[in-house]
Amino acid sequence: MNAQTKISASIAANLIAPDTSGMNFYRADPALRDLLSIHLPEALFVHIEPHLDRLGGLAGGVLDDCARMADQHVPVLHQRDRFGRDVQWIEYHPAYRELEKAAYGEFGIHAMSHRAGILGWPSIYPVVAKHAFTFLFNQAEFGMGCPINVTDGAAKLLSKFGDAALKEKYLDGLTQTDMRKLTQGGQFMTEKEGGSDVGTLTTTAVQEGDHWRLTGEKWFCSNADAEVVMLLARPEGAVGGTRGVGLFLMPRRLEDGSPNHYRIVRLKDKLGTRSMASGEIKLEGAIAYAVGNLDRGFVQMAEMVNSSRLSNGVKSTALMRRAYHDAMAVARGRVVFGSRIVDLPLARRQLMKIMLATEQALSMSFLTADALDRAEAGSQDAAALLRILTPTLKFRATRDARKVCGDALEMRGGIGYIEEFASARLLRDAHLGSIWEGTGNIVALDALKRAVGRHGAEGALAADLHARLDDSSSVPQAWRDRLHGLVDRAIGFAREVAAHSDHEADARRATSSLYHVASAVALAWEAEKIHARRGDARRLLLSRLVIDHRLMAPDPFAVIEGPTQRAITECLLDERDLGMAEAGALVMA
């Protein structure tokens, strides 16, 4: 190749828009740093920031490379060993093992809520801090988010409901960061007969001395070869429905090291999260141990839903943030028709849609995590708040992730559809969030019919949002008054839908309204706090955009991109600090 040819090839390569390779996802995310400084004690924030910085660099580098390889080289189920013995095992690509070492070994994300001393912190971490690590890790690898979450969840169930003997035997392994001692967890719940309708499950449990024998099939079991599994089964003679369901711990191996009496029938061929093994499990008299009261199994497992749905929301937010980073890399790094993409009006509007949904989800994720921390500290008001925030976050953030990842892929154009770039994987993975832990319809009904209609949790949400507005004195009074009014309207709409069975079809719309109003309030409150800390009130602009573009239906025949909208877009995309006076003027313009 001559010199001129080499130069031409170099120029051609530079015509392809850059991606996020080598980016430090923590340093690229000032909003994350701001929210952590608001929600965490200063000493804890100072302690974890170097670790977040390290994880942010890994997530944009070596972990991203590993995630790409693990997605391409999916797990393989082997039915026998090389000597012909019926010993099942799942083969993983070495890249997946490297991801495990980072998540479980180096950062201990699964153990942060259970074991003191992780990353040198003398006590366990609050949920807000733990999910900062979740958020960064999942920008590189979404599939392993499930094994991390279910290991964490299994430890939580065992810690809260298990007897002393079970804790002594299994809890340490579930919370280990030493990879040689770690026993990953699983939660095998779904059956052909009972997905969302858990009360129809058919797995049975028969007592045999100090243990039980389980028979049946579990239909969708992620982390299929987990060493410690939590699952639901109906004890022999128990009543029907959810009241007759018990919670059990099932080890992968028996006391003598032999396999327990269940087998993986096959692994699922999934659209996304392909790095992680999900399978169908047939229980053939598997030995298991009762966890807690057998007539409270469903209730005990349901307590995990708050944690799991929050984790789901955070992971979907991570996908959106990664998609946003990728879209901005394209927009700032590619020139078309003589202009950078980021300077073109239609592209700027598309970028703002990506940014807005992402920032809403980030705010709502940490608002919910903070509520969980306070609820676990004993606050009944926070427990009620959590009851409505978790399904609301799960419903909207996971659905937004599908749209955001698709729009970011489109920003890259045709090459975004190619698996060599992260955008295609992000879009595939995003579709899991709105299915995992309940589909959109199920979760909207949980928010409206149960959290509002049965538990009255909307009162706690209203009180919290009004209090945050009252605590935002530097935000223009007129904007706070408008948000106060919208809070009351959203709460009233939710109550109306919850109270009438013939309004059920409006449950999704009412849940979205709660989400948008709550996020608009949270963004305004954050603007107050961030401005007081470092003089930047830009999140107030996002509060207005939520109301204008996500809550209020625009006139389909009216031009909406006027001078104010352009000025707001300019401030947000240029990432310059903005004083409260200027932000307030734009919000009220």
Side-chain angles (χ1 to χ4, degrees), residues 164-182:
L166 281 180
K167 291 178 187 177
E168 176 68 23
K169 189 170 183 179
Y170 294 108
L171 189 55
D172 180 72
L174 286 168
T175 62
Q176 273 286 345
T177 57
D178 184 336
M179 298 300 291
R180 296 166 300 179
K181 300 177 182 178
L182 172 69

Side-chain angles (χ1 to χ4, degrees), residues 209-233:
D210 66 347
H211 60 261
W212 296 72
R213 293 277 188 174
L214 305 184
T215 303
E217 289 191 41
K218 295 295 182 180
W219 179 239
F220 204 105
C221 305
S222 292
N223 213 19
D225 57 348
E227 292 293 328
V228 178
V229 174
M230 293 289 183
L231 71 170
L232 298 175

